[in-house]
Amino acid sequence: MNTKYIFVTGGVVSSLGKGIISASIGKLLQARGYKVTIQKFDPYINIDPGTLNPYEHGECYVTEDGMETDLDLGHYERFTGIHTTRHNSITTGRIYKTVIDRERRGDYLGKTIQVVPHITDEIKRRMLREDEKGEDLDFVITEVGGTIGDIESAPFMEAIRQLRWQLGRNAVCVHLTYVPYLKAADELKTKPTQHSVKELQGMGIQPDILVLRTERHLDDSMRLKVASFCNVDLECVVQSEDMPSIYEVPVSMQHQGLDAAILRKIGIPVGETPAMKPWNNFLEKQRNAKREIHIGLVGKYDLQDAYKSIRESLNLAGIYNDVKAKIHFINSEEITSENVAEKLKDIAGIVVCPGFGQRGIEGKIIAAEYTRTHDIPTFGICLGMQMMVIEFARNVLGYKDANSAEMNPDTPHNVIDIMEEQKNITQMGGTMRLGAYECELVEGSRAWEAYNVQCSIKERHRHRYEFNNKYKKEYEAAGMKCVGINPAADLVEIVEIPEKKWYIGAQFHPEYSSTVLHPHPLFMDFIKTCSK
Ligand code: GLN
């Protein structure tokens, strides 16, 4: 089968859940046996979100091949289990950089370089995944960030318009809009949707399918109204109501025939509706997981999306352990030795979050000391692991001034130090230790058990600093063991205190590889311990 292309755009307002809809379409097509990938095009000028503060666009997600990407790629991977790559996350910045580099090389000698056709051609080339010809995909789903009408997304819309013309029936446009409910009038309003579709039509794009986000159920007459005002078939108007969980969305879309509508538009026989057994089993477990356990998320970004993958990994591991992991954000900037007991009251376990820079680290260290001395399960991730290491140096090894070279380059006891290959790096973008690296586990360790006694694993990284091997012997003698080692560079990737119930720090980010059907073993084991 020739590759088919699905474009997902959004209108009216942002934050409607385009990423979830794109991931759901991917899931449903995959359940029908198709080979799918999902990619995100973001209209901002940063080359990638690696240099963005999480307050801007939420967490930075990292692919196996070491690309720093938009958090929607996390949804794509969690829903479908596919591994995305650097080709799945594109920004305006990357598009322009490619074109400008080509111009400097002389590839366009004599020509005036313009948004149309040069920028739009480069967007099209990437939408068609021309650099990835060997993939043999049935469907490429392309989500465009931002909202219709934004000045900066215009070149992406023009590229979609041209591609639709060029690809004919092999392309489908899905447009996501919002239907607000006006309380005073007790009415749902379709006018914003009509305007949004008009805007799209004004750019020469007729959507094939409309997904209406709504907080209240839309009856058939509403859908009919939208269908007739927007030139869309009634069966192609589906609604996305608020759900108790984002993982219910694919099933709701399937019930409404979203995947069938896509196939019909393309001219592929629809066939039987797949049962999605494993997915539905998961949903069943989710509905039944009622007993709550309280997990503290010790971090500095008070924003839902800042630790998206960690939150989802905890949720998923909870469900598979038949509990509901209630996550409490605990702002590390507000933690003091005086209030830590109060803040961690009723908490079954904590995650010490990743991050960069000084702000909030002393609170993380105080939390790690409290949970270590009170034997409360503790999971440190990246910076979180580094804080566990520093806490141990200060309070067990007796190095009161121990620190990370990131926070104090002249610290006398740099138990966390800059990695050798990072020392001469001056550019900030895309230069950390990124992506998947091998890690060998020490037999008999807690981590090794958690990974079902596997000896070698691969996990994704995003850091510049690391455990300082100079102190390894001292740590091990005092009870903190280095149980995961990268064999190529002899880097410590996992530390643990075996005598505690669960006190593990990982230099890597296990949260990036936890999926709905395959929750991550470390999160599974952590939650299992917390739920006892
Ligand atoms: N700031 C730390 C480092 O660069 C940790 C990074 C992180 O938590 N992702 O090593």
Side-chain angles (χ1 to χ4, degrees):
M1 170 168 129
N2 285 339
T3 308
K4 318 289 180 196
Y5 298 85
I6 300 171
F7 299 101
V8 182
T9 57
V12 185
V13 287
S14 58
S15 303
L16 292 178
K18 249 183 309 168
I20 305 293
I21 293 297
S22 305
S24 300
I25 293 172
K27 180 76 215 165
L28 293 178
L29 291 171
Q30 202 185 39
R32 289 177 179 271
Y34 295 112
K35 202 169 164 225
V36 175
T37 198
I38 316 177
Q39 53 186 2
K40 174 96 190 260
F41 282 59
D42 274 305
Y44 51 75
I45 298 180
N46 304 61
I47 296 287
D48 61 48
T51 51
L52 289 172
N53 184 314
Y55 282 125
E56 300 278 319
H57 294 273
E59 92 175 359
C60 173
Y61 184 81
V62 179
T63 58
E64 281 220 316
D65 68 342
M67 182 80 194
E68 298 174 284
T69 73
D70 186 78
L71 61 73
D72 276 321
L73 272 80
H75 293 308
Y76 306 163
E77 292 208 7
R78 282 188 289 276
F79 276 59
T80 63
I82 55 172
H83 283 169
T84 54
T85 69
R86 56 189 57 251
H87 299 288
N88 292 59
S89 179
I90 307 291
T91 65
T92 292
R94 269 179 93 188
I95 301 282
Y96 271 79
K97 185 160 190 318
T98 312
V99 172
I100 291 170
D101 285 349
R102 251 185 233 143
E103 187 275 337
R104 291 289 83 182
R105 234 178 17 234
D107 290 7
Y108 310 105
L109 275 188
K111 289 267 178 294
T112 309
I113 312 307
Q114 295 178 291
V115 174
V116 182
H118 300 96
I119 294 298
T120 47
D121 278 354
E122 179 57 19
I123 296 174
K124 280 163 56 183
R125 213 179 61 76
R126 300 219 184 214
M127 283 178 167
L128 295 172
R129 297 176 76 81
E130 303 239 315
D131 291 334
E132 290 286 272
K133 272 302 178 211
E135 287 181 313
D136 195 24
L137 293 165
D138 299 315
F139 285 94
V140 174
I141 300 165
T142 301
E143 175 190 348
V144 180
T147 309
I148 289 302
D150 294 346
I151 291 175
E152 53 190 18
S153 59
F156 294 98
M157 296 306 139
E158 171 59 14
I160 294 177
R161 185 194 68 75
Q162 292 182 20
L163 280 178
R164 270 209 90 200
W165 183 247
Q166 184 182 321
L167 294 165
R169 277 192 97 177
N170 288 332
V172 171
C173 290
V174 178
H175 188 54
L176 181 64
T177 73
Y178 181 52
V179 179
Y181 169 72
L182 294 190
K183 204 167 152 215
D186 188 25
E187 266 183 85
L188 286 154
K189 292 292 183 191
T190 63
K191 191 71 89 191
T193 295
Q194 296 176 41
H195 280 301
S196 176
V197 172
K198 280 227 172 71
E199 181 110 33
L200 205 53
Q201 288 166 338
M203 295 175 171
I205 301 170
Q206 169 61 48
D208 300 288
I209 292 170
L210 294 175
V211 179
L212 310 180
R213 273 290 282 130
T214 170
E215 280 148 43
R216 308 233 162 170
H217 186 77
L218 301 173
D219 60 22
D220 286 352
S221 67
M222 272 308 217
R223 287 177 44 242
L224 193 59
K225 188 171 160 188
V226 171
S228 56
F229 282 138
C230 299
N231 303 344
V232 173
D233 299 332
L234 178 61
E235 58 151 37
C236 292
V237 181
V238 303
Q239 56 188 307
S240 173
E241 284 179 83
D242 283 356
M243 294 272 150
S245 142
I246 52 173
Y247 303 117
E248 303 270 0
V249 175
V251 176
S252 162
M253 292 300 124
Q254 190 188 43
H255 285 328
Q256 297 180 68
L258 175 60
D259 52 339
I262 289 172
L263 295 176
R264 249 180 248 119
K265 279 282 159 199
I266 290 174
I268 299 175
V270 174
E272 271 180 37
T273 307
M276 300 223 295
K277 269 252 174 63
W279 192 272
N280 280 305
N281 288 345
F282 162 80
L283 291 181
E284 196 53 38
K285 269 184 112 46
Q286 174 168 259
R287 290 174 205 129
N288 292 332
K290 297 224 167 70
R291 181 164 75 88
E292 288 186 350
I293 60 161
H294 301 276
I295 303 294
L297 204 59
V298 179
K300 66 173 167 180
Y301 299 110
D302 191 2
L303 176 89
Q304 278 286 328
D305 280 354
Y307 306 112
K308 191 75 191 163
S309 295
I310 295 180
R311 285 175 181 272
E312 291 308 319
S313 300
L314 289 167
N315 270 337
L316 296 170
I319 292 161
Y320 282 100
N321 276 292
D322 303 312
V323 293
K324 193 174 162 69
K326 270 210 85 96
I327 298 165
H328 303 269
F329 174 73
I330 304 173
N331 192 333
S332 59
E333 280 186 286
E334 292 163 9
I335 300 177
T336 62
S337 316
E338 289 72 44
N339 68 19
V340 64
E342 176 60 26
K343 291 217 182 260
L344 299 184
K345 199 171 71 158
D346 303 325
I347 293 286
I350 64 166
V351 173
V352 191
C353 292
F356 296 84
Q358 179 76 37
R359 187 165 69 86
I361 65 158
E362 292 304 325
K364 287 182 176 172
I365 294 173
I366 293 168
E369 179 187 5
Y370 185 85
T371 54
R372 180 178 57 78
T373 50
H374 291 77
D375 204 3
I376 298 169
T378 304
F379 191 178
I381 299 178
C382 208
L383 183 71
M385 170 268 201
Q386 297 175 353
M387 294 305 116
M388 289 161 87
V389 167
I390 293 171
E391 187 281 317
F392 198 85
R394 289 186 187 176
N395 299 318
V396 180
L397 304 182
Y399 299 130
K400 288 289 168 221
D401 50 9
N403 211 336
S404 162
E406 177 180 4
M407 315 307 164
N408 174 9
D410 304 317
T411 183
H413 293 102
N414 51 345
V415 291
I416 301 295
D417 201 10
I418 185 134
M419 276 182 278
E420 201 45 50
E421 75 260 27
Q422 291 285 331
K423 284 187 179 158
N424 296 321
I425 284 174
T426 51
Q427 293 230 11
M428 295 301 276
T431 55
M432 281 186 256
R433 181 172 182 241
L434 291 166
Y437 286 91
E438 202 191 336
C439 171
E440 277 171 5
L441 300 174
V442 171
E443 257 188 69
S445 66
R446 183 70 199 240
W448 172 77
E449 267 173 39
Y451 276 100
N452 300 316
V453 307
Q454 281 184 82
C455 292
S456 177
I457 53 163
K458 253 185 147 186
E459 294 282 3
R460 304 182 203 182
H461 296 70
R462 182 175 187 241
H463 63 121
R464 291 188 206 281
Y465 298 83
E466 58 156 13
F467 183 93
N468 187 343
N469 278 332
K470 207 173 88 190
Y471 293 92
K472 192 167 164 184
K473 277 212 179 84
E474 276 181 79
Y475 272 89
E476 299 226 309
M480 184 177 264
K481 308 283 181 193
C482 303
V483 296
I485 306 288
N486 168 260
D490 196 30
L491 298 178
V492 173
E493 308 279 34
I494 308 177
V495 295
E496 70 178 36
I497 303 182
E499 70 173 35
K500 302 290 172 195
K501 273 187 228 145
W502 213 99
Y503 200 83
I504 299 184
Q507 183 57 75
F508 50 79
H509 292 265
E511 71 272 23
Y512 295 144
S513 47
S514 207
T515 70
V516 170
L517 298 184
H518 297 284
H520 193 282
L522 280 180
F523 280 96
M524 283 295 282
D525 200 50
F526 171 67
I527 292 288
K528 189 169 142 202
T529 310
C530 293
S531 66
K532 272 185 195 147

